[in-house]
Amino acid sequence: MSDYSDTTQPLLQGINDQARVTELSSEAVEELLAEEQPVSVGWWLRLVGWESKLLWYLSGASIVVSIFNFMLSLVTQMFTGHLGALELAGASIANVGIQGLAYGIMLGMASAVQTVCGQAYGAGKYASMGIVCQKAIILHLGASVILSFLYWYSGTVLRAIGQSDSIAAEGQIFAHGLLPQLYAFAIYCPMQRFLQSQNIVNPLAYISVGIFLVHILLTWLAVDVVGFGLLGAALTLSLSWWLLVIVTGLFILLSPSCKETWTGFSMKAFRGLWSYLKLTMASAVMLCLEIWFSQGLVLISGLLPNPTISLDSISICMNYLNWDMMFMLGLSTGASVRVGNELGAGKPKVARFSVIVVNVTSSLISIILSAFVMICHTALSEAFSSDDAVITAVSDLTPLLAISVLLNGIQPILSGVAIGSGWQALVAYVNLSTYYIIGLPIGCVLGFKTSLGVAGIWWGMIFGVFLQTVTLIILTARTNWSKEVEKAEERLKISADEEKLDLVDIA
């Protein structure tokens, strides 16, 4: 290795020139971080600035995509909330119990795209990425066909899990209107991960914002002007998601940015589906256990006395928590892409450094957002409902919401690191233990056996998330990143083997 001063001098010149900070290569940073000599505080700050700029380039647009795509559902729920408390309860229970179940499966399966494409992009295996995206879409559409029965018979399902006949009936109306959205989500999710894994994020953000603005107008026309009610709101949401799919698909097909990674539709996408399915199943289980936990607690709240108020209050708070989660998931996506790219490129020191920077950043943001929740708790309640009882119930839950927002500063980020590293199967066991063996029973006991009610159910969620976060911190801190590089290389070799995923030499 060259002399330390000889190595760092050109790096120092590159870092000091803030206009050219992104030109500092990962190779140079990897070499610097591998040096045994101590690095000064000034150097660390400059390296943090370099990593932060790369991270926010990816995360900034990903945050916009996550938030505005989520706000499609949020806006729809706001409009249904002003139709009445029963309509809001029906939309909330369908959104959580039916749509949430499907989302957990789809998002979980799509994280496999993020893992394989992210590492393939870092390794320079560009032509393989389009095939992986097509494989994912095929499997997602297959899952959608099965899940369609859940949507169509949603009223029966909701009554079977203890919901009242009136809430279940409204939930079924809303779920029927969301059925077209299920297929749109099945196509969009792999396409989104395909673009993000190759650092194409700004176009996704522009598309999401544009469709969101159109969605507000369409929902206002359908619900307030034409008066189509709950079904009209759901069908409008489905239409907006299909617009999202069409515009994103056209970008992939026509943009020069994808000419190396999208080489057209291929029958090779149907080869090795079973091997790819096994990877997606591990990913699906990991995220499903995570997503269904909070949604299951919302369903349980519908079994409490005065279920309409309980369900409305926890659903409103959960919407804000999900809003925060979307922000953190955008940051998590940036972290996942950074870690996956660097592991695929064989740079363990840079991958580890990226993990540290993103966790510090997200923790600081969560502190600010928690304070915002406490200050604006009344306004947050009134945005969803004009019912005084619901507003009071939501205000009572905001301290717990603030705690959950604070925990969200770490947990989603570490989950993103796990996806980028391919740890989905391990994290699935962690989620099962902390959420369902510990958190869920605690929530049920506090909610039904004490006077805490819906607050007790939320405390169960907090305990589960806290334990999961601590476990992920320990796992990440003990990670040997050099071995993770070896695992990434082996994963790509296995993926490229003969009839499996054909990730290499398919052009």
Side-chain angles (χ1 to χ4, degrees), residues 220-253:
W220 172 72
L221 290 173
V223 177
D224 289 353
V225 178
V226 183
F228 281 160
L230 198 59
L231 181 60
L235 288 172
T236 303
L237 181 59
S238 294
L239 174 61
S240 295
W241 270 94
W242 272 105
L243 292 175
L244 201 60
V245 169
I246 292 170
V247 177
T248 304
L250 288 174
F251 176 83
I252 292 175
L253 293 174

Side-chain angles (χ1 to χ4, degrees), residues 362-399:
S362 62
S363 298
L364 293 175
I365 293 172
S366 287
I367 293 173
I368 297 172
L369 293 177
S370 296
F372 174 80
V373 167
M374 293 301 297
I375 294 171
C376 303
H377 60 92
T378 301
L380 297 179
S381 308
E382 293 174 345
F384 273 90
S385 179
S386 54
D387 189 307
D388 291 338
V390 173
I391 292 173
T392 301
V394 172
S395 296
D396 292 340
L397 286 177
T398 47

Side-chain angles (χ1 to χ4, degrees), residues 150-188:
L150 174 67
Y151 277 67
W152 192 253
Y153 296 103
S154 55
T156 302
V157 173
L158 293 174
R159 280 188 287 270
I161 61 177
Q163 302 302 318
S164 67
D165 289 341
S166 58
I167 291 178
E170 296 295 323
Q172 178 169 286
I173 293 173
F174 195 75
H176 284 177
L178 292 180
L179 191 52
Q181 184 204 16
L182 173 64
Y183 290 88
F185 196 70
I187 299 172
Y188 175 77

Side-chain angles (χ1 to χ4, degrees), residues 39-46:
V39 179
S40 68
V41 174
W43 260 104
W44 281 119
L45 292 177
R46 293 184 178 97

Side-chain angles (χ1 to χ4, degrees), residues 39-60:
V39 179
S40 68
V41 174
W43 260 104
W44 281 119
L45 292 177
R46 293 184 178 97
L47 289 177
V48 167
W50 173 79
E51 174 61 36
S52 296
K53 188 161 186 175
L54 292 175
L55 177 66
W56 280 107
Y57 171 76
L58 292 170
S59 299

Side-chain angles (χ1 to χ4, degrees), residues 5 79 145 152 161 177 201 216 265 279 352 378 423 463 500:
S5 60
F79 275 94
V145 173
W152 192 253
I161 61 177
V201 287
I216 294 176
F265 295 99
L279 177 61
R352 179 177 179 274
T378 301
W423 303 341
F463 281 126
K500 292 184 180 179

